[in-house]
Amino acid sequence: MPDVSIQFTLFSAFYSPLIVTMAGGFLKEEGLEYRWSVAPPGKSAVEAIIDGSAHVIQSAPSQGFNSLLKGEAPSVVHFAQVNEMDGFFITARDPDPDFTWDRLEGAEVVMFRGGQPNAMFRYGCHRAGIDFDRIVAITPGGATEIDAAFREGRGQYVQQQGPFPHQLEADGVGHIVARVGPRIGPCAFSSLAASREWLDTDAAAAFTRAYARARRYLNAAPAEEVAMMEKDYFPDTDPAALARCIRGYQELGCWTPHVSITPAAYEVVLDVFQHVGHIRERYPYESVCVPPPGEPA
């Protein structure tokens, strides 16, 4: 039985399409055994493709810009979407049903220092009509460090993916007041990537069939059912909080049923990274993305 090795860049319920592909038995239905891991801090999941320790990685099309900025061809190509919307939440210490984004100006916000989470947040602020540079940024590290800092009393607001903010609510530590995704709209936020060579294999085609079925299931299934399927992946999260997180993402529409990364969604990512000054030109879709195995080029 063929093996598929999967590596996540970040691990959260936001990436449920890939988690459910594993947890829901969809890969086994295609005759695929799998193993999975999370990239160590400070190490890119792309390195796992290059050294052969992973076949598929959870990544983002914007990852390809790093190579293109150096005049190099990306080492991997992005063949399927995971999320077609930013999935970060803004959580406040106190309930604020009348929250408006201008309250972030002058406030301390615990957030990601760089990368796509920072770029998207900056663009979301731009779309909300506020000045990101007037926010007092607190950047303690990755997702776990950000959560710990807010729980320790740092910051008035915090930027997180689910289920971290939902667990904050469950613990009475914070209250979700905003979502970044609707400010930006549909975009090629996160993806699956692999080598071109692996995408030509039967295993890649089987993986993609399993992934497509998992996406359809995820959009139709009750959030509580999905949460029960995923609970062992999130042992520190209350099942009810996990279910609220999954329902929120279903309602957000980030898990659209189609597998392919659309050119229109990719163009929005170019808008984001051009706005924040991370790219100097608009790279062609074909330099980063390819159709899923089984679809015509």
Side-chain angles (χ1 to χ4, degrees):
M1 192 175 285
D3 285 336
V4 175
S5 181
I6 299 163
Q7 186 166 107
F8 291 78
T9 297
L10 296 173
F11 194 81
S12 81
F14 185 47
Y15 305 109
S16 284
L18 185 53
I19 298 170
V20 166
T21 303
M22 301 185 300
F26 294 97
L27 290 172
K28 291 192 175 182
E29 289 174 7
E30 288 288 344
L32 295 173
E33 294 288 351
Y34 68 91
R35 56 189 180 275
W36 71 280
S37 61
V38 180
K43 187 172 182 179
S44 170
V46 172
E47 295 178 44
I49 296 290
I50 294 171
D51 67 23
S53 58
H55 300 106
V56 180
I57 60 172
Q58 168 267 312
S59 184
S62 61
Q63 172 277 327
F65 301 161
N66 298 328
S67 298
L68 293 167
L69 277 166
K70 302 174 187 175
E72 302 169 357
S75 302
V76 303
V77 286
H78 299 260
F79 69 94
Q81 63 151 326
V82 179
N83 291 285
E84 205 168 35
M85 186 84 74
D86 183 296
F88 281 87
F89 297 82
I90 305 300
T91 303
R93 292 210 171 271
D94 301 309
D96 188 358
D98 299 320
F99 174 84
T100 54
W101 279 64
D102 58 1
R103 298 190 187 187
L104 298 178
E105 292 188 346
E108 294 183 344
V109 182
V110 188
M111 67 174 77
F112 284 81
R113 180 188 302 273
Q116 180 164 281
N118 181 273
M120 289 281 177
F121 188 26
R122 286 175 178 270
Y123 193 68
C125 290
H126 164 69
R127 294 287 296 246
I130 69 168
D131 185 354
F132 177 87
D133 291 333
R134 294 188 63 187
I135 296 173
V136 181
I138 299 174
T139 56
T144 302
E145 291 78 14
I146 286 171
D147 190 67
F150 191 74
R151 287 177 178 275
E152 290 165 3
R154 300 183 67 189
Q156 296 158 266
Y157 299 92
V158 61
Q159 172 208 18
Q160 294 174 302
Q161 285 180 338
F164 280 106
H166 304 85
Q167 190 61 46
L168 288 178
E169 287 192 323
D171 294 338
V173 178
H175 302 268
I176 296 170
V177 294
R179 299 177 300 178
V180 179
R183 284 291 173 182
I184 299 171
C187 65
F189 187 91
S190 57
S191 61
L192 299 181
S195 68
R196 293 181 185 272
E197 293 75 19
W198 186 78
L199 290 175
D200 284 335
T201 66
D202 291 341
F207 173 90
T208 305
R209 289 193 298 269
Y211 182 66
R213 289 203 308 278
R215 290 191 73 88
R216 291 193 293 270
Y217 163 80
L218 185 56
N219 278 284
E224 292 77 10
E225 180 177 305
V226 178
M228 287 302 295
M229 181 182 294
E230 295 188 357
K231 64 183 178 63
D232 290 343
Y233 292 83
F234 299 97
D236 298 326
T237 302
D238 179 81
L242 183 58
R244 288 196 302 274
C245 169
I246 290 166
R247 186 180 305 109
Y249 281 138
Q250 288 172 325
E251 294 170 353
L252 186 61
C254 56
W255 299 330
T256 41
H258 61 272
V259 172
S260 59
I261 302 165
T262 69
Y266 174 77
E267 288 294 318
V268 177
V269 176
L270 292 176
D271 292 341
V272 170
F273 279 80
Q274 202 162 40
H275 171 77
V276 300
H278 288 181
I279 59 173
R280 298 183 293 271
E281 59 183 287
R282 298 180 73 86
Y283 300 111
Y285 173 89
E286 295 78 12
S287 64
V288 174
C289 304
V290 297
E295 288 192 10

